[in-house]
Amino acid sequence: MKRANQRGATATLLAGSMLLLLGVAAVVIDIGLGYNERNQDQIAADNAVMAGAVDKADFLSNQVISASVLQFAQPNLRNIYGGPNDPAWVELWRSCSDSGNPGWSALPEPAAWAGVSTPTPPQAGNKLDCISQTSSLLRVRIPDQLTSTTFGKVLGAQNLTTNAVAIAKAELNTPVPPMVPFGISGSAGPGELCFSTSGSGTADPPCSGPSAGTFGTILSELFGDFYGTPNCGNPTSTNSIEINIAVGVDHLLDVWSNPTGTVALGSPHPGDNTVLNSLPDTNRDACDLDPNGFAVPVDGIPLNTVQVDSGFASGVIQNGLVSNNTYFGKKSRLQQWASVGNPSRTVVAKRGGGPTLNWVLDNRGPWAYLNDSSDIAWDPGGLCRKASYTATPALPTTGVGSKQEKFNQCIALYTSSSSNQVIFEPSIATSPRFVWAPQYWYRLPTTGLSWEPVYKFRMAFIGGVWFKGGPPTGMISFYPDEEFNDSTGPELCLPSGGGSNCHQLSLWQMSAWYLPDNAVPASVQNALPGPTNPRVAALWQ
């Protein structure tokens, strides 16, 4: 009896051990299957978000972006679906929700899903919550994947549930070019034109009076895409304008393509409500912050309609253009000459009655970037050749027979000749004075705020800057001229009361040369981010 009892005890012990072994097998094998599925989910998420981010970088539509995400997610999952429009696949995404993207913009379903019937109806607006974006980020959450267990069924676990999330950022493949917040009226052509003027008082040519230039200051928030922290407040009450002047608008803008062909370039502005309500596919340059602090476009991407002010906010523009302030480690725009090895010249902003205030500004003109290969057939006088500006004795900077006058004649001659010849060296893009500015479809209103769709982006070179101090007639101008460096040339000062005193100066107006597109090397033309020079996508986390 004792041995029989012992045999029964052994059988019970063996049965218990088998259950334990099966449990261990469930843990080892089934959890291993789960980890493998989880890895596949992550691969699918990474590939899908990168594919979508590349399309986002190329300014493609939101439907195209979501279609790419779905196309690259499906083949990287272990579970088999019957194709891109398989009802089971569609149901998977329609029933998916992402708790990690509060405030992000959900992307729409592919157009081909419109006729697919599933137990879960399409989400509001036919959007997919598990594919979402901010201004530069794209987030993909792979819907829950079920993996059947093997030994785990013995313990009552029929399936393991896995998913994965990936975020990619659309980034520039070159340093951010200087997209400045000065806009150009739709009717403006090449040549030296007024870039901005004071809101009141006198003006010197090429400016003709307050709010009478070809300009419009862009009131653009800081999306935080390239610099610093997003700031989606009112730009007129923050420092966003001066930051955008100093280091460039910190997010990408695109052109409005005029899909209906109904708007003529340079036509009168019809009013904001008409523009925003009747023009298809116009998306405002505005943003909101989601709960995590990411900037989310109001109308999606691309952002192709900007709010402009026809006035001249002299304080913030002075700060971003000529002051001694720094922005994200960079000085104001015209004080960035040292980083590219340009000559400089000192403007004495104040001397007397307190500490001296100097502005040390870039002092290399656009003629320094001309090449000497111009075709003599259309330029027999050499107006567009660098050698013409380096003759001895040196030409004056402004006035009759000056470099400014000669360069104005060069641009006019180039335009009238219909030449396509490149006359500038690629190094012109290194100048702090070389900028990109949006040109609008419409003529700008003479006063006030308006929303303006972008026609194209123009290359410009900041020319003269005027400073005012003392009486209404007290004005000095500074045009860049490499013949006068700080070590050899006189400082600029508007005398005040004789002796060594100088008036307190304020920036009053500025001009810029709008450069003909074909005159600049293709490598420079294509440096502006957009359809011709897309951003690149990188996994963000």
Side-chain angles (χ1 to χ4, degrees):
M1 288 295 297
K2 185 176 182 181
R3 290 180 180 176
N5 289 340
Q6 287 176 339
R7 285 197 297 270
T10 302
T12 301
L13 180 62
L14 181 59
S17 300
M18 288 297 295
L19 287 175
L20 178 62
L21 290 173
L22 288 173
V24 172
V27 171
V28 174
I29 297 175
D30 290 337
I31 296 302
L33 289 174
Y35 273 115
N36 182 62
E37 178 62 36
R38 175 62 178 77
N39 289 337
Q40 289 299 120
D41 294 351
Q42 191 63 58
I43 291 171
D46 291 347
N47 289 341
V49 79
M50 286 292 288
V54 168
D55 286 345
K56 181 179 174 73
D58 283 338
F59 289 93
L60 300 182
S61 72
N62 289 337
Q63 272 196 323
V64 171
I65 295 172
S66 58
S68 290
V69 168
L70 296 163
Q71 177 186 350
F72 279 82
Q74 190 176 94
N76 286 290
L77 295 173
R78 293 180 66 249
N79 293 330
I80 304 300
Y81 299 93
N85 303 321
D86 178 8
W89 176 246
V90 177
E91 165 66 17
L92 193 70
W93 288 91
R94 284 178 175 172
S95 60
C96 181
S97 62
D98 186 359
S99 61
N101 64 349
W104 289 41
S105 300
L107 271 64
E109 294 183 353
W113 286 12
V116 179
S117 177
T118 59
T120 302
Q123 299 178 23
N126 294 324
K127 299 294 183 65
L128 296 174
D129 188 56
C130 287
I131 305 175
S132 57
Q133 66 179 357
T134 67
S135 54
S136 283
L137 301 179
L138 182 68
R139 176 183 172 98
V140 173
R141 180 195 186 276
I142 297 297
D144 289 348
Q145 300 292 293
L146 300 180
T147 301
S148 297
T149 60
T150 54
F151 294 102
K153 290 184 173 63
V154 177
L155 303 179
Q158 302 297 316
N159 297 291
L160 295 175
T161 302
T162 59
N163 59 59
V165 172
I167 299 177
K169 184 175 183 179
E171 298 177 323
L172 293 172
N173 55 10
T174 57
V176 181
M179 172 71 72
V180 292
F182 299 112
I184 306 169
S185 182
S187 55
E192 186 185 10
L193 299 172
C194 186
F195 219 23
S196 56
T197 64
S198 172
S200 61
T202 60
D204 287 352
C207 297
S208 57
S211 301
T214 60
F215 57 89
T217 304
I218 302 174
L219 305 181
S220 179
E221 291 102 343
L222 301 176
F223 278 36
D225 287 13
F226 309 139
Y227 318 114
T229 303
N231 186 342
C232 293
N234 182 351
T236 58
S237 63
T238 69
N239 61 351
S240 59
I241 295 177
E242 57 189 270
I243 293 174
N244 291 341
I245 292 171
V247 297
V249 174
D250 84 328
H251 54 274
L252 299 187
L253 302 173
D254 196 21
V255 300
W256 177 67
S257 59
N258 192 16
T260 60
T262 57
V263 178
L265 181 64
S267 60
H269 193 279
D272 295 337
N273 290 335
T274 302
V275 170
L276 290 178
N277 293 339
S278 64
L279 299 181
D281 302 322
T282 56
N283 296 317
R284 293 177 294 160
D285 172 43
C287 69
D288 290 326
L289 294 181
D290 72 11
N292 293 319
F294 294 117
V296 182
V298 171
D299 296 317
I301 59 169
L303 303 171
N304 53 25
T305 306
V306 296
Q307 187 180 30
V308 304
D309 187 346
S310 57
F312 179 45
S314 57
V316 294
I317 294 179
Q318 175 176 292
N319 289 342
L321 191 72
V322 299
S323 76
N324 296 329
N325 296 348
T326 57
Y327 305 91
F328 303 111
K330 287 190 174 183
K331 296 183 177 180
S332 62
R333 175 158 299 283
L334 294 190
Q335 295 217 33
Q336 297 174 23
W337 50 271
S339 62
V340 295
N342 278 2
S344 63
R345 192 174 189 192
T346 297
V347 174
V348 183
K350 179 184 178 182
R351 180 184 292 137
T356 296
L357 174 63
N358 292 333
W359 295 328
V360 185
L361 308 181
D362 185 89
N363 194 29
R364 176 157 286 164
W367 40 82
Y369 301 98
L370 289 169
N371 59 43
D372 286 324
S373 60
S374 295
D375 186 347
I376 198 171
W378 68 269
D379 184 21
L383 290 170
C384 294
R385 282 179 282 181
K386 184 190 301 185
S388 299
Y389 297 83
T390 57
T392 304
L395 298 176
T397 305
T398 60
V400 178
S402 66
K403 294 182 177 181
Q404 176 205 7
E405 181 184 67
K406 187 182 290 287
F407 189 72
N408 284 338
Q409 294 170 351
C410 162
I411 298 300
L413 176 63
Y414 184 95
T415 304
S416 64
S417 69
S418 300
S419 175
N420 291 325
Q421 185 172 1
V422 172
I423 62 174
F424 290 103
E425 299 171 346
S427 58
I428 190 172
T430 66
S431 171
R433 291 177 174 268
F434 178 85
V435 297
W436 289 87
Q439 182 171 10
Y440 311 123
W441 276 95
Y442 296 103
R443 291 201 305 270
L444 287 170
T446 56
T447 59
L449 303 176
S450 61
W451 284 96
E452 302 290 342
V454 177
Y455 161 62
K456 66 181 297 186
F457 296 104
R458 296 282 296 275
M459 292 169 285
F461 196 95
I462 296 174
V465 285
W466 283 257
F467 302 100
K468 184 180 181 298
T473 57
M475 189 96 71
I476 61 172
S477 64
F478 165 50
Y479 272 83
D481 180 41
E482 62 181 338
E483 301 301 327
F484 292 103
N485 298 337
D486 255 357
S487 59
T488 59
E491 64 187 15
L492 285 177
C493 173
L494 185 64
S496 172
S500 60
N501 289 340
C502 296
H503 276 290
Q504 176 83 48
L505 299 182
S506 60
L507 183 66
W508 197 250
Q509 68 176 43
M510 58 190 294
S511 71
W513 285 285
Y514 302 151
L515 306 178
D517 292 339
N518 292 328
V520 181
S523 60
V524 177
Q525 294 183 46
N526 295 336
L528 184 70
T532 58
N533 183 33
R535 294 176 287 178
V536 294
L539 284 176
W540 189 61
Q541 65 178 34

